[in-house]
Amino acid sequence: MPSTPRRTLAALPLLALLALTACAATHSARVTAHAAQQPSPSAPPSASANATPSGTPSRSGAPVPKSLDWYLAQVPTFPEAPPPQPMPPGPAGSAPFRFRVPTGQKVAFITIDDGGLARPSAVIDFIREAHIPVTLFLNSPAATAHTDYFRQIEAAGGVIENHTISHTSLSGRSYAFQKHEICGSADKLEQLYGKRPTLFRPPFGNRDATTLRAAYDCGMKAVFHWSETVNEGIVRYQTPEKVVKPGDVLLMHFRPALMDDLLAALKAIHRAGLTPALLEDYVS
């Protein structure tokens, strides 16, 4: 019997393997095609069908950080402010100078200065929606340049007060200079907003006896410093107790982080067991 060539014998197993592979592929294709025709009851719905657009919170989700709703959601609940008690008057011919309102009532006061640097638009809605009582000590040029913005805060419950024309340190300056800065600013603010300021804050808190006399002559009931400052969401206390006390006045400025400052002030007042109140109501 003639022998089979080595090349033919070697090829036989390879041919068998190829045939088997082809058969398996055909079977797999049939199974796949059949499965494609059948619904999959356990398959989850498409992710894209219920996806929330990027940057838009779902109705049931938490507010977007730093949005107005996010700030409003963190505002504490306060009791009503107590009826104001009269503040004792200052010496004759001079406006009283105060770091705080001399009262034991459980109230504290939020004040915002300047107005020329930054005016976050959300602040208007935040003050209105959260019912934040605020006193604005404005420089008259800033109040002139951005009248509509401050009118909206006034409509939301804020009160506009006096912070000079040029934001210059008054201490040591002549009576004529100081009176011009205080009266001139008061005149302009009255012209812009229809109400003459009755409270005054000297720039940087710098004042002397001449400042208080000029303020009195310009119709100011009181000259206010502050008890705490707030900047970039941090309350800085002026006393070692590090707590807001009844009658304290919190100072912040119209800066980019004003929303954070307002929220930090509200939380600090709440932690102290106090209620934010409008400064003008407690100054006789």
Side-chain angles (χ1 to χ4, degrees):
M1 180 178 180
S3 61
T4 303
R6 290 180 179 274
R7 182 175 300 174
T8 302
L9 288 173
L12 286 176
L14 178 60
L15 289 172
L17 179 61
L18 290 174
L20 182 62
T21 302
C23 182
T26 301
H27 177 72
S28 176
R30 287 174 181 171
V31 172
T32 302
H34 176 74
Q37 295 173 1
Q38 303 300 316
S40 177
S42 62
S46 168
S48 61
N50 297 322
T52 303
S54 176
T56 304
S58 65
R59 290 186 181 273
S60 60
V64 174
K66 301 295 184 177
S67 66
L68 176 61
D69 286 343
W70 183 84
Y71 284 100
L72 288 170
Q74 298 184 69
V75 173
T77 300
F78 297 94
E80 289 291 326
Q85 295 175 349
M87 189 178 76
S94 179
F97 179 77
R98 309 289 188 190
F99 283 89
R100 51 186 300 280
V101 174
T103 180
Q105 293 181 290
K106 292 186 175 182
V107 290
F109 308 98
I110 295 174
T111 65
I112 316 174
D113 278 15
D114 298 349
L117 178 60
R119 292 155 305 282
S121 59
V123 164
I124 299 168
D125 293 329
F126 191 31
I127 290 172
R128 181 179 61 250
E129 296 297 325
H131 307 289
I132 306 173
V134 293
T135 297
L136 317 181
F137 286 100
L138 300 182
N139 304 125
S140 54
T144 302
H146 309 286
T147 305
D148 184 62
Y149 179 84
F150 298 117
R151 276 182 180 155
Q152 291 183 68
I153 294 181
E154 186 180 43
V159 177
I160 295 171
E161 299 290 3
N162 190 352
H163 197 42
T164 72
I165 299 172
S166 63
H167 202 269
T168 300
S169 178
L170 298 181
S171 182
R173 306 298 293 266
S174 70
Y175 173 82
F177 179 88
Q178 296 199 44
K179 186 178 180 183
H180 170 72
E181 284 285 330
I182 300 170
C183 286
S185 179
D187 292 343
K188 187 62 178 180
L189 293 170
E190 182 179 18
Q191 176 189 337
L192 292 170
Y193 301 100
K195 176 182 175 293
R196 189 172 181 81
T198 59
L199 303 181
F200 174 63
R201 172 169 283 151
F204 317 108
N206 295 340
R207 82 287 172 194
D208 56 17
T210 302
T211 309
L212 305 183
R213 183 162 62 93
Y216 177 87
D217 291 344
C218 291
M220 303 297 109
K221 294 180 179 179
V223 176
F224 273 97
H225 202 271
W226 53 84
S227 313
E228 289 85 25
T229 63
V230 192
N231 187 35
E232 296 184 345
I234 300 172
V235 178
R236 292 175 172 84
Y237 298 90
Q238 312 295 304
T239 59
E241 292 87 349
K242 298 190 181 303
V243 63
V244 181
K245 297 178 180 179
D248 275 4
V249 177
L250 290 83
L251 163 68
M252 58 197 72
H253 292 80
F254 281 98
R255 292 172 176 162
L258 182 54
M259 295 284 283
D260 296 307
D261 297 342
L262 287 167
L263 183 59
L266 291 171
K267 289 182 175 181
I269 292 170
H270 185 263
R271 283 195 302 271
L274 308 178
T275 295
L278 191 63
L279 181 61
E280 286 73 8
D281 290 345
Y282 290 75
V283 179
S284 57

